[in-house]
Amino acid sequence: MPANEQMHAHQASRLVLPTPAQMGQVDTAAARSVPVSTLMENAGRAVARAIRQHMRPCRVLVLCGPGNNGGDGYVAARRLAEQGWPVSVARLAAPRPGGDEAAAAALWRGPMVPFTPESAAAFDLVVDGVFGAGLSRDVAPEVVAVLEAAQRIVAIDMPSGVDGATGGVCGGAAQAEMTVTFCRLKPGHLLLPGRTLCGRMVLADIGIPESALGSVAIRTWRNEPGLWRTPPCTVSSYKYSRGVVSICGGREMPGAARLSAAGARAAGAGLVRLAAGDSAEVYRMTAPAGLIVDSDPLETLLQDKRRHVWVCGPGLSVAEVAAVFPALVAAGRAVIADAGAFSMAAGHPGRLKGAAIITPHIGEFSRVFGTPGADRVEAARAAAAGTGAVTVLKGPDTIIAAPDGRVAINDHATPMLGTAGSGDTLTGIIAAMLAAGMPAWEAACAGVWLHGDAALHAGQWPLAEDFDRHVGTARHRAEGLAKKVFG
């Protein structure tokens, strides 16, 4: 592997999101060179350090479960007490005899109190070391009651009751003010509702070797520049090298296609064309000067091999999609399917085969593939594998899944994107990335991040029409961040 690719692989590894099961494999691999007791000591010290950095001294109760998470809690309690903080411990159950957590518990010489809601309510701060990210069963109601009685909570690894793989709540979970996790974030730290329950996130290095992380095949990443890089605009670039984006325009909702076109142009496409057919005059009346509106039949437009990337769906009826989508696929075009395409494929996901990228929100996804259930990451993976299309499951924690199993989770966005037309702009941005030569998964990841970044900088309560004005600056920011990784 060339040196620059090795650097990229190393830097991108900081974005991997191991599931709790995979993190267990990493821990096992790490234990071959670093004792578990050392990692536990480092984890507890990191928790204590984060508390001291972000909070003033107060009365602290550390809740300890019987496993490694509880072991981290005993270490954190000891380290805080050594710094003069008044600390007590309440344990859910005794640690397993002979284990590293038992050794950590044996070093605690401070006060012990009952594991009750009354105990939790009597302290200024509760440290949640009960279960951690690996929990996959419901938390007992009596444990939830103890956590909910706390005034303030710092969670170790993950708030107890949050599934580290899905972000879902198992039985119940209390709001944490801060969560301290180790080595890498887990999917549940970014997926809702887990993301909101974690509060401030602190990621601590506890000495797990990179070789241990690299020994596990992790296929999920946080979506950021550095995972991908947008194609550069060089001195030799011209409109066709930057890519041509073609958008199918519908008769009844012309605004959707115009929003897609605006997103594509703002994201850097060299040329954007609207295929409007008999409705061309409707579009020409309001089209900006740089947008070409075509009235020729689709079969004529498909003769131009430079028009490889097509957006099909925004503003189109079921009949319009049914007439256009199969022709685009048959012609070997790279199609981004959205909006009306999902009405066409409702209950029949096979109708989307041939698309390069599909971009459903949760309602559209459910109509085509069925309700995704608790594990939306795996549902998106299955949809991508079944259709052969990169699947962008849009939402406040957008999931981008490739047919080969790669997944990126995007938390770089704002609720302001929840407005009609926002998704149309996104399809245009993704199309521009695809037309510029990015592979489909990377193009979708880049488009989602740029869309979110533009919205973050679009001011208060922006309209969908406002987002494209900020996409160019978002791309500049992305290029700057990626340069730190790629050089």
Side-chain angles (χ1 to χ4, degrees):
M1 182 184 294
N4 63 333
E5 291 185 14
Q6 289 179 340
M7 179 185 299
H8 173 222
H10 172 72
Q11 292 293 335
S13 73
R14 69 187 172 83
L15 301 177
V16 297
L17 300 170
T19 64
Q22 290 170 329
M23 200 63 224
Q25 297 172 24
V26 171
D27 289 341
T28 299
R32 299 189 186 108
S33 56
V34 183
V36 173
S37 59
T38 299
L39 296 176
M40 189 172 290
E41 187 69 28
N42 291 346
R45 183 188 296 113
V47 173
R49 182 187 307 116
I51 290 172
R52 295 198 312 271
Q53 287 177 343
H54 296 289
M55 298 178 180
R56 295 186 178 186
C58 60
R59 295 172 302 134
V60 179
L61 175 64
V62 182
L63 303 177
C64 294
N68 284 351
N69 200 247
D72 299 340
Y74 287 112
V75 175
R78 172 163 49 85
R79 291 292 183 175
L80 284 173
E82 289 172 352
Q83 295 296 316
W85 288 49
V87 182
S88 297
V89 168
R91 70 183 188 186
L92 174 64
R96 174 176 54 87
D100 293 289
E101 56 272 23
L107 294 175
W108 172 247
R109 302 284 192 262
M112 303 287 293
V113 301
F115 193 95
T116 64
E118 292 74 19
S119 293
F123 287 81
D124 303 312
L125 175 67
V126 168
V127 178
D128 172 12
V130 183
F131 290 121
L135 183 73
S136 57
R137 54 184 170 81
D138 283 358
V139 176
E142 53 268 28
V143 175
V144 176
V146 172
L147 292 165
E148 289 181 341
Q151 300 178 50
R152 303 168 71 191
I153 295 176
V154 170
I156 299 177
D157 197 24
M158 184 72 73
S160 291
V162 175
D163 187 326
T166 69
V169 173
C170 302
Q175 176 69 54
E177 185 173 323
M178 180 170 69
T179 298
V180 184
T181 195
F182 318 112
C183 184
R184 295 295 187 274
L185 297 180
K186 318 308 179 292
H189 291 129
L190 302 185
L191 295 166
L192 294 178
R195 187 173 83 205
T196 57
L197 290 169
C198 287
R200 178 199 294 267
M201 280 301 312
V202 176
L203 177 62
D205 179 1
I206 60 172
I208 292 177
E210 285 292 321
S211 58
L213 197 68
S215 68
V216 178
I218 302 169
R219 303 285 282 167
T220 306
W221 291 264
R222 187 178 197 173
N223 187 34
E224 288 184 8
L227 183 62
W228 41 265
R229 187 178 193 178
T230 57
C233 186
T234 67
V235 67
S236 59
S237 297
Y238 60 103
K239 64 183 177 183
Y240 290 114
S241 68
R242 287 170 59 173
V244 181
V245 172
S246 298
I247 299 168
C248 298
R251 178 179 297 275
E252 299 300 325
M253 296 179 63
R258 286 200 295 264
L259 286 168
S260 284
R265 296 181 70 208
L271 182 62
V272 179
R273 306 185 71 139
L274 270 173
D278 294 340
S279 303
E281 289 307 314
V282 175
Y283 286 91
R284 285 173 179 154
M285 287 188 294
T286 56
L291 178 64
I292 298 175
V293 179
D294 295 309
S295 58
D296 293 334
L298 182 62
E299 55 268 25
T300 301
L301 302 180
L302 288 174
Q303 293 175 13
D304 187 345
K305 300 300 182 182
R306 297 171 300 187
R307 302 180 68 167
H308 180 63
V309 174
W310 286 73
V311 173
C312 179
L316 301 187
S317 67
V318 171
E320 287 170 328
V321 174
V324 172
F325 180 78
L328 295 173
V329 172
R333 297 303 191 259
V335 182
I336 302 173
D338 187 26
F342 305 122
S343 296
M344 180 269 295
H348 300 279
R351 292 178 181 173
L352 293 172
K353 286 188 175 181
I357 301 170
I358 61 176
T359 59
H361 57 60
I362 192 68
E364 293 166 334
F365 185 96
S366 298
R367 287 203 299 274
V368 176
F369 301 100
T371 303
D375 195 339
R376 287 177 293 112
V377 169
E378 288 309 310
R381 273 197 175 105
T387 61
V390 171
T391 299
V392 180
L393 180 50
K394 297 183 292 192
D397 48 2
T398 294
I399 298 164
I400 307 109
D404 63 10
R406 288 174 296 164
V407 165
I409 300 173
N410 189 81
D411 64 328
H412 185 73
T414 166
M416 295 301 104
L417 285 171
T419 183
S422 170
D424 301 320
T425 304
L426 173 62
T427 59
I429 297 171
I430 294 174
M433 299 296 103
L434 191 63
M438 294 183 77
W441 184 70
E442 288 84 346
C445 290
V448 168
W449 191 94
L450 293 172
H451 187 234
D453 191 77
L456 284 166
H457 294 85
Q460 297 297 318
W461 298 103
L463 302 175
E465 297 92 317
D466 298 330
F467 295 141
D468 63 279
R469 295 188 291 108
H470 302 272
V471 173
T473 304
R475 182 165 178 174
H476 179 71
R477 277 189 289 268
E479 289 168 352
L481 292 169
K483 189 174 183 180
K484 295 179 181 178
V485 176
F486 292 91

